[in-house]
Amino acid sequence: MQQGWRFARGLRTFLRDTVGVEEARRYVSDGIAHRGERFLRMLNDAVWPFPSSPYRRLLGNAGLDAGSVVALVRGNGLDDTLRSLCDGGVYVAYEEFLGKTPARRGSSSFDFSPPDFHNPCIRADYISRSGGTRSGGIGAPLSFACLRTWALDGAISEVTWDISRLAKAVWYPALPAGAGINSVLTWAALGGSLDHWFSQIPAGDARVSLRKRLANVMLPLLTVGTGVRLPRPRLTTSPDAVITWCRDALARHGRACLVTYPTSAVALAHRALADGISLEGLVVATSGEPLTATRLQTIRASGARPLNSYGSTQLGGLGIACPACAPEEVHALAYKHVVLGRPRERADGVVVDAFCWTSLAPAAPLIAINLENDDYGEIAHDDARCTCELGRLGVRTRLRHIRGMSKVVAGGTTVPGEAFEQLVEKVLPARFGGASVHYQFLECEQDGWARLVVRLHPALGAIDEAEILGVVRDGLRASELGRLATDVWSRSGALVVERRPPVPTASGKILPFETLPGRGGGGSPGR
């Protein structure tokens, strides 16, 4: 109850103190100019005073104290220092962060869990849960101070894409997923009211905890008198209602902005193209899954312009595309994070550069120093500044072709790989016969549509597809976020069966699941 009152008071203050463009520009330029100082301040505030801090333990194991780190930063610069720290064992692999494996550094071994990384300098106003990767969703302690920095990122996006005064709507799930409420609050902090909050799942689903159902209903009431109107989440399983809003907003204003998943944007574009409706003037701000070249082409064919961004609940905004960015490319938000690549071998044997993040924002939910987030891709640095707003403010790092190491994503929702391992190794063979090598899950893309394919070996004989899909759904619904994923996938037709032998990797392994391939490798032949 006390936390609820604190949330209500904080929300009203947060919405009254809206974010401006000039404040956002100062935030970015100051962050670029003082990255090293911000890192050292973070160590002084959130690492050195806490003996149990994972990073104090790793730094101590590497023979480093506060003075030696200061000397490294001032002598070599922040980026080279973080690379040196990473090479010296000061990093946290994603499995170590989750507590799945010990962090072994030489003869030393450390056991961590996600709460160990919570920022000790902030007081959480609410807990936001991620969509889940190899876990059932990781809680992140969010403060309104943190949300304000996310809104500053949003203000830069608005300038970059000229969308600050447009009518806006959000098409993200209501709680228990954090994407919807975080997006609604962040965009509202920019001073405008959202027309609609469309949700891929029902806000009052009885399978969701009572506290979260009440939050879905009460959020709009808490904003009365602030001058900002927050809409109540409205179940929208097909694009029809969203297209109706788009047509109305475009007719009234000429331009509008929709915030959603890339695959939801593809569904909207397909429906518009099929019905002969032009979405010219609509900017679609997407995040949560890769905006592939095929998806980008489909959205553009409808007349809409895609605005791609990249981030996570634990780390916040990580990248924003500008109109000049290539497909699957974003500007890394180097004023609040440092990103390095650490070579890692995927389950299929392909070596990729896993992203390692260091957070420089004082209000960040997690303290991160070379912390993996289970993603990989390409990191590039511009020789000359981009002509966009971020480029003019000094941002020169880009991220390209971002993929998840272990995520299985379809329709903007994710499920841990362990859930598929359980189905493949135990549940499906026990129910339908055969062995684990006769089953495989595949994340794929068909004409821009996300699909989760259940591969069945023909040797299994006749199997009722509806029955096996029912067993898969039941297995995935063991967790709250698993129920969210299966509900979204069922409504969108993203869960399908394929009668085909599971495809081995180049090393001959048959994995229980395969993720969407990155550039130049991975995945199955002929995908």
Side-chain angles (χ1 to χ4, degrees), residues 275-340:
D275 294 348
I277 298 171
S278 172
L279 297 180
E280 186 175 355
L282 180 70
V283 175
V284 185
T286 67
S287 64
E289 54 187 340
L291 182 62
T292 63
T294 302
R295 293 171 184 172
L296 190 72
Q297 183 179 13
T298 301
I299 296 168
R300 285 176 172 168
S302 71
R305 297 181 70 199
L307 184 175
N308 190 28
S309 60
Y310 170 53
S312 71
T313 301
Q314 291 78 35
L315 297 171
L318 301 172
I320 300 172
C322 78
C325 281
E328 298 198 64
E329 179 181 71
V330 296
H331 292 285
L333 303 188
Y335 53 89
K336 58 192 296 187
H337 302 286
V338 182
V339 59
L340 305 176

Side-chain angles (χ1 to χ4, degrees), residues 518-522:
R519 184 182 182 186

Side-chain angles (χ1 to χ4, degrees), residues 171 198 236 238-247 258 268:
W171 191 10
F198 302 108
T236 310
S238 77
D240 295 341
V242 185
I243 282 186
T244 299
W245 172 79
C246 291
R247 294 183 70 178
L258 175 68
L268 179 76

Side-chain angles (χ1 to χ4, degrees), residues 438-480:
H438 292 129
Y439 302 89
Q440 189 177 57
F441 289 88
L442 167 70
E443 176 196 5
C444 70
E445 182 183 36
Q446 298 171 355
D447 299 325
W449 292 86
R451 293 287 184 265
L452 181 64
V453 177
V454 186
R455 276 189 181 145
L456 307 178
H457 199 293
L460 292 170
I463 295 179
D464 183 87
E465 292 189 3
E467 182 180 2
I468 198 165
L469 290 179
V471 171
V472 169
R473 293 188 191 101
D474 290 342
L476 296 178
R477 283 175 176 149
S479 69
E480 191 173 59

Side-chain angles (χ1 to χ4, degrees), residues 131-133 261-263 287-290 295 375 403-404 406-416 420 442-445 449-452 485 489 494 513-516:
T133 51
Y261 294 128
T263 43
S287 64
E289 54 187 340
R295 293 171 184 172
D375 286 340
R403 294 290 186 270
S406 67
K407 297 180 180 73
V408 175
V409 184
T413 56
T414 61
V415 165
F420 295 101
L442 167 70
E443 176 196 5
C444 70
E445 182 183 36
W449 292 86
R451 293 287 184 265
L452 181 64
W489 292 344
F513 69 93
E514 295 184 27
T515 59
L516 195 65

Side-chain angles (χ1 to χ4, degrees), residues 218-277:
M218 294 297 295
L219 188 63
L221 301 178
L222 297 177
T223 65
V224 174
T226 64
V228 175
R229 186 184 71 85
L230 294 184
R232 184 174 297 177
R234 168 188 173 187
L235 178 62
T236 310
T237 58
S238 77
D240 295 341
V242 185
I243 282 186
T244 299
W245 172 79
C246 291
R247 294 183 70 178
D248 180 64
L250 293 172
R252 285 185 289 115
H253 308 293
R255 299 182 68 219
C257 178
L258 175 68
V259 186
T260 190
Y261 294 128
T263 43
S264 294
V266 168
L268 179 76
H270 268 284
R271 180 61 59 85
L273 289 166
D275 294 348
I277 298 171

Side-chain angles (χ1 to χ4, degrees), residues 310 325-332 355 376-382 396-403 518-519:
Y310 170 53
C325 281
E328 298 198 64
E329 179 181 71
V330 296
H331 292 285
F355 291 157
Y376 68 93
E378 301 172 20
I379 303 171
H381 301 280
D382 293 339
R396 293 196 177 199
T397 304
R398 297 178 189 249
L399 306 175
R400 297 172 179 147
H401 306 288
I402 301 163
R403 294 290 186 270
R519 184 182 182 186

